[in-house]
Amino acid sequence: MSEESEGVSGRRGTGGKSIVRPYGDTTGDGMVQVSFTLPVPHDKRAEGAAVQLANRMGMDPAMLVHAKPIGDGFTFFVVYGRVNHLVDLSTVQVVERDFPLLSAKEVNAVVKRRLRRKLSVVGACIGTDAHTVGIDAILNVKGIAGEKGLEYYRELKVTNLGAQVSVPELVEAARRERADAVLVSQVVTQRDAHLHNTREMSAAFREALPAGRRPLLIVGGPRFDETMTAELGVDRIFGRGTTPGEVASYLVHALVTSRKAGVA
């Protein structure tokens, strides 16, 4: 697919605006910037290796704009260059929000009227993950960016187990708290630890609880693919930039309003 054949200039093409290409200095010039690390000491050969790698990634010309040693035998690079790849927006697959975004007042009102009890939420970072910033931002009353966390919601009962919680401990806490939903944050991704931990967690809940009594399983973190819910055995995946209000609205949608009358 060439620029000429598609008539592309930045963002233009089939259907008006479905084909796009990167933009750097001028619209539609195809310029991109990438950064990476090579396990080599910083010298001229290392810089040449970085350019060669960028060429093989499809950047032509590739210009090395930054190189810095970041430890014994490692160098960090930033390369700027042109690519000929195009993106067809009509073929892009993402998970878009399929539930209404509610205010805290609306969430409380729906839970109180329809559920007639507090909605129980248990959250944790599981495995060796000690990065609680994400789960705390969603659960703790202080929230994030001026938006209050789920502890602020009067009709939600929140239990935050913190960091490095084992899967058996999480399952037991969910039983004890009669959790309607379990929220797990995973930031550590080395060797796909976030995927392994999530699969272990979902399998443990399937083994421990029958389908009708199993809590809603939700995971979140910066490296999750939101389309992998079925593969990971969870009900929802939230990615970067998720707010407490989005999570609360989803809980109401999944556990209250989307269920038939008398089930919730």
Side-chain angles (χ1 to χ4, degrees):
M1 186 183 298
S2 69
E3 179 175 348
E4 291 72 19
S5 65
E6 290 297 326
V8 175
S9 179
R11 180 170 175 163
R12 182 166 60 86
T14 306
K17 294 182 178 180
S18 67
I19 307 296
V20 297
R21 69 181 308 164
Y23 160 60
D25 300 316
T26 58
T27 303
D29 61 11
M31 301 300 285
V32 300
Q33 179 172 294
V34 298
S35 62
F36 52 86
T37 300
L38 290 179
V40 294
H42 180 214
D43 56 18
K44 285 291 186 182
R45 182 175 296 275
E47 294 186 358
V51 171
Q52 184 183 96
L53 176 63
N55 287 150
R56 292 182 176 180
M57 292 167 65
M59 299 175 68
D60 184 21
M63 296 168 279
L64 183 67
V65 296
H66 179 72
K68 182 179 182 180
I70 58 171
D72 187 16
F74 292 87
T75 306
F76 174 75
F77 302 94
V78 177
V79 179
Y80 185 65
R82 185 178 190 275
V83 298
N84 293 314
H85 307 88
L86 305 176
V87 175
D88 184 349
L89 296 180
S90 67
T91 66
V92 174
Q93 296 184 346
V94 296
V95 176
E96 297 189 80
R97 180 163 55 83
D98 55 356
F99 52 88
L101 193 59
L102 306 177
S103 68
K105 184 177 180 180
E106 291 170 325
V107 168
N108 288 329
V110 172
V111 172
K112 186 174 184 178
R113 184 177 69 253
R114 299 280 298 276
L115 203 58
R116 298 179 181 178
R117 61 173 173 79
K118 292 187 183 296
L119 192 154
S120 177
V121 179
V122 172
C125 295
I126 60 175
T128 60
D129 200 323
H131 300 78
T132 62
V133 173
I135 196 72
D136 288 344
I138 297 298
L139 297 183
N140 290 0
V141 66
K142 65 181 180 182
I144 185 171
E147 185 173 319
K148 299 291 188 183
L150 300 192
E151 288 179 343
Y152 172 76
Y153 292 67
R154 187 179 61 250
E155 298 301 325
L156 303 187
K157 177 177 178 290
V158 176
T159 304
N160 187 349
L161 301 177
Q164 297 184 324
V165 176
S166 71
V167 167
E169 289 172 335
L170 180 63
V171 172
E172 179 54 33
R175 285 183 195 270
R176 184 178 63 247
E177 301 297 332
R178 297 179 178 274
D180 297 291
V182 169
L183 274 61
V184 165
S185 174
Q186 291 284 267
V187 175
V188 174
T189 59
Q190 282 87 350
R191 299 183 180 180
D192 289 336
H194 59 313
L195 303 181
H196 298 311
N197 289 340
T198 300
R199 290 191 181 99
E200 179 186 355
M201 183 266 294
S202 61
F205 273 100
R206 285 197 302 274
E207 182 177 343
L209 297 167
R213 295 177 53 199
R214 197 176 306 146
L216 202 67
L217 300 180
I218 303 170
V219 295
R223 299 289 179 84
F224 278 108
D225 179 345
E226 295 178 337
T227 67
M228 293 179 65
T229 52
E231 183 178 337
L232 296 178
V234 298
D235 298 287
R236 190 82 182 194
I237 297 172
F238 284 109
R240 297 186 307 275
T242 299
T243 65
E246 287 178 278
V247 175
S249 297
Y250 172 69
L251 293 176
V252 167
H253 168 76
L255 294 168
V256 184
T257 57
S258 68
R259 291 190 173 181
K260 294 180 181 178
V263 174

PDB file of all heavy atoms in Angstrom, residues 2 25 37 47 53 60-61 75 123 139 146-147 177 180 189 192 205 231 234 246 253 258-259:
ATOM      1  N   SER A   2       0.787   2.029  -1.008  1.00  0.00           N
ATOM      2  CA  SER A   2       1.621   3.228  -1.085  1.00  0.00           C
ATOM      3  C   SER A   2       0.814   4.467  -0.788  1.00  0.00           C
ATOM      4  O   SER A   2      -0.412   4.468  -0.818  1.00  0.00           O
ATOM      5  CB  SER A   2       2.203   3.344  -2.504  1.00  0.00           C
ATOM      6  OG  SER A   2       1.180   3.644  -3.418  1.00  0.00           O
ATOM      7  N   ASP A  25       7.682  16.165  11.383  1.00  0.00           N
ATOM      8  CA  ASP A  25       7.950  17.576  11.082  1.00  0.00           C
ATOM      9  C   ASP A  25       6.824  18.192  10.255  1.00  0.00           C
ATOM     10  O   ASP A  25       6.452  19.347  10.471  1.00  0.00           O
ATOM     11  CB  ASP A  25       9.272  17.690  10.329  1.00  0.00           C
ATOM     12  CG  ASP A  25      10.436  17.143  11.144  1.00  0.00           C
ATOM     13  OD1 ASP A  25      10.498  17.456  12.348  1.00  0.00           O
ATOM     14  OD2 ASP A  25      11.256  16.389  10.595  1.00  0.00           O
ATOM     15  N   THR A  37      17.364  -0.103  24.226  1.00  0.00           N
ATOM     16  CA  THR A  37      18.659  -0.337  24.866  1.00  0.00           C
ATOM     17  C   THR A  37      19.324  -1.536  24.207  1.00  0.00           C
ATOM     18  O   THR A  37      18.662  -2.542  23.918  1.00  0.00           O
ATOM     19  CB  THR A  37      18.466  -0.621  26.367  1.00  0.00           C
ATOM     20  OG1 THR A  37      17.845   0.505  26.973  1.00  0.00           O
ATOM     21  CG2 THR A  37      19.812  -0.885  27.051  1.00  0.00           C
ATOM     22  N   GLU A  47      26.728   2.820  18.277  1.00  0.00           N
ATOM     23  CA  GLU A  47      25.836   3.750  17.584  1.00  0.00           C
ATOM     24  C   GLU A  47      25.486   3.230  16.191  1.00  0.00           C
ATOM     25  O   GLU A  47      24.345   3.351  15.727  1.00  0.00           O
ATOM     26  CB  GLU A  47      26.476   5.131  17.510  1.00  0.00           C
ATOM     27  CG  GLU A  47      26.633   5.775  18.891  1.00  0.00           C
ATOM     28  CD  GLU A  47      27.131   7.209  18.800  1.00  0.00           C
ATOM     29  OE1 GLU A  47      27.393   7.682  17.679  1.00  0.00           O
ATOM     30  OE2 GLU A  47      27.263   7.844  19.865  1.00  0.00           O
ATOM     31  N   LEU A  53      19.849  -1.507  13.497  1.00  0.00           N
ATOM     32  CA  LEU A  53      18.616  -2.075  14.036  1.00  0.00           C
ATOM     33  C   LEU A  53      17.404  -1.264  13.573  1.00  0.00           C
ATOM     34  O   LEU A  53      16.378  -1.824  13.153  1.00  0.00           O
ATOM     35  CB  LEU A  53      18.668  -2.102  15.566  1.00  0.00           C
ATOM     36  CG  LEU A  53      17.391  -2.592  16.250  1.00  0.00           C
ATOM     37  CD1 LEU A  53      17.083  -4.045  15.873  1.00  0.00           C
ATOM     38  CD2 LEU A  53      17.511  -2.452  17.769  1.00  0.00           C
ATOM     39  N   ASP A  60      13.874   4.461   7.469  1.00  0.00           N
ATOM     40  CA  ASP A  60      14.824   4.809   6.405  1.00  0.00           C
ATOM     41  C   ASP A  60      14.491   6.191   5.852  1.00  0.00           C
ATOM     42  O   ASP A  60      13.452   6.349   5.201  1.00  0.00           O
ATOM     43  CB  ASP A  60      14.772   3.760   5.315  1.00  0.00           C
ATOM     44  CG  ASP A  60      15.806   4.015   4.230  1.00  0.00           C
ATOM     45  OD1 ASP A  60      16.798   4.730   4.510  1.00  0.00           O
ATOM     46  OD2 ASP A  60      15.614   3.526   3.114  1.00  0.00           O
ATOM     47  N   PRO A  61      15.329   7.190   6.102  1.00  0.00           N
ATOM     48  CA  PRO A  61      16.579   7.115   6.846  1.00  0.00           C
ATOM     49  C   PRO A  61      16.337   7.064   8.358  1.00  0.00           C
ATOM     50  O   PRO A  61      15.307   7.538   8.835  1.00  0.00           O
ATOM     51  CB  PRO A  61      17.279   8.428   6.469  1.00  0.00           C
ATOM     52  CG  PRO A  61      16.147   9.378   6.248  1.00  0.00           C
ATOM     53  CD  PRO A  61      15.055   8.557   5.603  1.00  0.00           C
ATOM     54  N   THR A  75      23.824   0.489  26.579  1.00  0.00           N
ATOM     55  CA  THR A  75      23.663   1.835  26.036  1.00  0.00           C
ATOM     56  C   THR A  75      22.209   2.062  25.634  1.00  0.00           C
ATOM     57  O   THR A  75      21.583   1.192  25.026  1.00  0.00           O
ATOM     58  CB  THR A  75      24.558   2.049  24.803  1.00  0.00           C
ATOM     59  OG1 THR A  75      25.909   1.724  25.145  1.00  0.00           O
ATOM     60  CG2 THR A  75      24.492   3.494  24.332  1.00  0.00           C
ATOM     61  N   GLY A 123      -9.393  -5.631  46.920  1.00  0.00           N
ATOM     62  CA  GLY A 123      -8.331  -5.321  45.972  1.00  0.00           C
ATOM     63  C   GLY A 123      -6.960  -5.679  46.509  1.00  0.00           C
ATOM     64  O   GLY A 123      -6.749  -5.759  47.719  1.00  0.00           O
ATOM     65  N   LEU A 139      -8.614   2.555  44.814  1.00  0.00           N
ATOM     66  CA  LEU A 139      -9.368   2.189  46.020  1.00  0.00           C
ATOM     67  C   LEU A 139      -9.349   3.250  47.115  1.00  0.00           C
ATOM     68  O   LEU A 139     -10.375   3.509  47.746  1.00  0.00           O
ATOM     69  CB  LEU A 139      -8.835   0.868  46.584  1.00  0.00           C
ATOM     70  CG  LEU A 139      -8.988  -0.373  45.696  1.00  0.00           C
ATOM     71  CD1 LEU A 139      -8.475  -1.605  46.430  1.00  0.00           C
ATOM     72  CD2 LEU A 139     -10.432  -0.573  45.275  1.00  0.00           C
ATOM     73  N   GLY A 146      -7.571  14.380  41.529  1.00  0.00           N
ATOM     74  CA  GLY A 146      -8.753  15.085  42.001  1.00  0.00           C
ATOM     75  C   GLY A 146     -10.019  14.253  42.050  1.00  0.00           C
ATOM     76  O   GLY A 146     -11.065  14.746  42.472  1.00  0.00           O
ATOM     77  N   GLU A 147      -9.930  12.983  41.636  1.00  0.00           N
ATOM     78  CA  GLU A 147     -11.113  12.113  41.673  1.00  0.00           C
ATOM     79  C   GLU A 147     -10.986  11.146  42.846  1.00  0.00           C
ATOM     80  O   GLU A 147      -9.966  10.469  42.984  1.00  0.00           O
ATOM     81  CB  GLU A 147     -11.245  11.335  40.355  1.00  0.00           C
ATOM     82  CG  GLU A 147     -12.518  10.515  40.282  1.00  0.00           C
ATOM     83  CD  GLU A 147     -12.716   9.883  38.906  1.00  0.00           C
ATOM     84  OE1 GLU A 147     -12.438  10.577  37.904  1.00  0.00           O
ATOM     85  OE2 GLU A 147     -13.133   8.724  38.847  1.00  0.00           O
ATOM     86  N   GLU A 177     -14.928 -11.577  52.978  1.00  0.00           N
ATOM     87  CA  GLU A 177     -15.604 -10.299  52.773  1.00  0.00           C
ATOM     88  C   GLU A 177     -16.831 -10.421  51.879  1.00  0.00           C
ATOM     89  O   GLU A 177     -17.459  -9.422  51.555  1.00  0.00           O
ATOM     90  CB  GLU A 177     -14.621  -9.294  52.153  1.00  0.00           C
ATOM     91  CG  GLU A 177     -13.382  -9.027  52.985  1.00  0.00           C
ATOM     92  CD  GLU A 177     -13.710  -8.406  54.328  1.00  0.00           C
ATOM     93  OE1 GLU A 177     -14.744  -7.708  54.417  1.00  0.00           O
ATOM     94  OE2 GLU A 177     -12.950  -8.619  55.289  1.00  0.00           O
ATOM     95  N   ASP A 180     -18.138  -8.987  46.023  1.00  0.00           N
ATOM     96  CA  ASP A 180     -18.847  -8.957  44.742  1.00  0.00           C
ATOM     97  C   ASP A 180     -17.847  -8.808  43.597  1.00  0.00           C
ATOM     98  O   ASP A 180     -18.119  -9.237  42.478  1.00  0.00           O
ATOM     99  CB  ASP A 180     -19.823  -7.774  44.711  1.00  0.00           C
ATOM    100  CG  ASP A 180     -20.900  -7.907  45.759  1.00  0.00           C
ATOM    101  OD1 ASP A 180     -21.751  -8.798  45.609  1.00  0.00           O
ATOM    102  OD2 ASP A 180     -20.891  -7.122  46.724  1.00  0.00           O
ATOM    103  N   THR A 189       6.072  -6.660  35.052  1.00  0.00           N
ATOM    104  CA  THR A 189       5.763  -7.415  33.835  1.00  0.00           C
ATOM    105  C   THR A 189       6.939  -8.248  33.324  1.00  0.00           C
ATOM    106  O   THR A 189       6.824  -8.850  32.252  1.00  0.00           O
ATOM    107  CB  THR A 189       5.328  -6.448  32.722  1.00  0.00           C
ATOM    108  OG1 THR A 189       6.397  -5.513  32.480  1.00  0.00           O
ATOM    109  CG2 THR A 189       4.071  -5.700  33.104  1.00  0.00           C
ATOM    110  N   ASP A 192       6.565 -11.696  31.639  1.00  0.00           N
ATOM    111  CA  ASP A 192       5.100 -11.827  31.617  1.00  0.00           C
ATOM    112  C   ASP A 192       4.526 -12.232  32.969  1.00  0.00           C
ATOM    113  O   ASP A 192       3.524 -12.971  33.050  1.00  0.00           O
ATOM    114  CB  ASP A 192       4.667 -12.836  30.549  1.00  0.00           C
ATOM    115  CG  ASP A 192       4.882 -12.302  29.144  1.00  0.00           C
ATOM    116  OD1 ASP A 192       4.925 -11.058  28.976  1.00  0.00           O
ATOM    117  OD2 ASP A 192       5.005 -13.110  28.211  1.00  0.00           O
ATOM    118  N   PHE A 205      -9.849 -18.958  41.603  1.00  0.00           N
ATOM    119  CA  PHE A 205     -11.244 -18.614  41.905  1.00  0.00           C
ATOM    120  C   PHE A 205     -12.203 -19.601  41.258  1.00  0.00           C
ATOM    121  O   PHE A 205     -13.228 -19.950  41.833  1.00  0.00           O
ATOM    122  CB  PHE A 205     -11.542 -17.180  41.448  1.00  0.00           C
ATOM    123  CG  PHE A 205     -11.200 -16.146  42.491  1.00  0.00           C
ATOM    124  CD1 PHE A 205     -10.019 -15.431  42.407  1.00  0.00           C
ATOM    125  CD2 PHE A 205     -12.054 -15.913  43.561  1.00  0.00           C
ATOM    126  CE1 PHE A 205      -9.691 -14.488  43.360  1.00  0.00           C
ATOM    127  CE2 PHE A 205     -11.731 -14.979  44.529  1.00  0.00           C
ATOM    128  CZ  PHE A 205     -10.550 -14.254  44.438  1.00  0.00           C
ATOM    129  N   GLU A 231      -8.853 -14.968  27.471  1.00  0.00           N
ATOM    130  CA  GLU A 231      -7.609 -15.728  27.571  1.00  0.00           C
ATOM    131  C   GLU A 231      -7.089 -15.776  29.001  1.00  0.00           C
ATOM    132  O   GLU A 231      -6.508 -16.780  29.438  1.00  0.00           O
ATOM    133  CB  GLU A 231      -6.549 -15.098  26.663  1.00  0.00           C
ATOM    134  CG  GLU A 231      -5.243 -15.867  26.639  1.00  0.00           C
ATOM    135  CD  GLU A 231      -4.241 -15.252  25.693  1.00  0.00           C
ATOM    136  OE1 GLU A 231      -4.655 -14.546  24.761  1.00  0.00           O
ATOM    137  OE2 GLU A 231      -3.034 -15.472  25.886  1.00  0.00           O
ATOM    138  N   VAL A 234     -10.640 -13.505  33.131  1.00  0.00           N
ATOM    139  CA  VAL A 234     -11.183 -12.428  33.963  1.00  0.00           C
ATOM    140  C   VAL A 234     -12.357 -11.764  33.243  1.00  0.00           C
ATOM    141  O   VAL A 234     -12.609 -12.003  32.060  1.00  0.00           O
ATOM    142  CB  VAL A 234     -10.100 -11.378  34.299  1.00  0.00           C
ATOM    143  CG1 VAL A 234      -8.973 -12.016  35.103  1.00  0.00           C
ATOM    144  CG2 VAL A 234      -9.557 -10.733  33.028  1.00  0.00           C
ATOM    145  N   GLU A 246     -14.541   5.285  36.526  1.00  0.00           N
ATOM    146  CA  GLU A 246     -14.770   4.280  35.492  1.00  0.00           C
ATOM    147  C   GLU A 246     -14.958   2.903  36.117  1.00  0.00           C
ATOM    148  O   GLU A 246     -15.834   2.134  35.703  1.00  0.00           O
ATOM    149  CB  GLU A 246     -13.590   4.249  34.515  1.00  0.00           C
ATOM    150  CG  GLU A 246     -13.519   5.433  33.584  1.00  0.00           C
ATOM    151  CD  GLU A 246     -12.305   5.351  32.685  1.00  0.00           C
ATOM    152  OE1 GLU A 246     -11.212   5.737  33.146  1.00  0.00           O
ATOM    153  OE2 GLU A 246     -12.442   4.888  31.551  1.00  0.00           O
ATOM    154  N   HIS A 253     -22.576  -1.382  36.441  1.00  0.00           N
ATOM    155  CA  HIS A 253     -23.079  -1.944  35.187  1.00  0.00           C
ATOM    156  C   HIS A 253     -23.065  -3.471  35.223  1.00  0.00           C
ATOM    157  O   HIS A 253     -24.058  -4.128  34.880  1.00  0.00           O
ATOM    158  CB  HIS A 253     -22.205  -1.445  34.032  1.00  0.00           C
ATOM    159  CG  HIS A 253     -22.446  -2.164  32.744  1.00  0.00           C
ATOM    160  ND1 HIS A 253     -23.554  -1.924  31.950  1.00  0.00           N
ATOM    161  CD2 HIS A 253     -21.721  -3.134  32.102  1.00  0.00           C
ATOM    162  CE1 HIS A 253     -23.507  -2.705  30.892  1.00  0.00           C
ATOM    163  NE2 HIS A 253     -22.409  -3.444  30.952  1.00  0.00           N
ATOM    164  N   SER A 258     -26.998  -4.326  34.644  1.00  0.00           N
ATOM    165  CA  SER A 258     -27.089  -5.222  33.474  1.00  0.00           C
ATOM    166  C   SER A 258     -27.678  -6.571  33.828  1.00  0.00           C
ATOM    167  O   SER A 258     -27.927  -7.398  32.955  1.00  0.00           O
ATOM    168  CB  SER A 258     -25.704  -5.425  32.848  1.00  0.00           C
ATOM    169  OG  SER A 258     -24.875  -6.158  33.724  1.00  0.00           O
ATOM    170  N   ARG A 259     -27.905  -6.797  35.118  1.00  0.00           N
ATOM    171  CA  ARG A 259     -28.500  -8.058  35.547  1.00  0.00           C
ATOM    172  C   ARG A 259     -30.014  -7.936  35.564  1.00  0.00           C
ATOM    173  O   ARG A 259     -30.567  -6.858  35.764  1.00  0.00           O
ATOM    174  CB  ARG A 259     -27.998  -8.441  36.947  1.00  0.00           C
ATOM    175  CG  ARG A 259     -26.525  -8.816  36.946  1.00  0.00           C
ATOM    176  CD  ARG A 259     -26.113  -9.414  38.256  1.00  0.00           C
ATOM    177  NE  ARG A 259     -24.744  -9.924  38.173  1.00  0.00           N
ATOM    178  CZ  ARG A 259     -24.119 -10.515  39.172  1.00  0.00           C
ATOM    179  NH1 ARG A 259     -24.721 -10.673  40.330  1.00  0.00           N
ATOM    180  NH2 ARG A 259     -22.879 -10.951  39.021  1.00  0.00           N
TER     181      ARG A 259
END
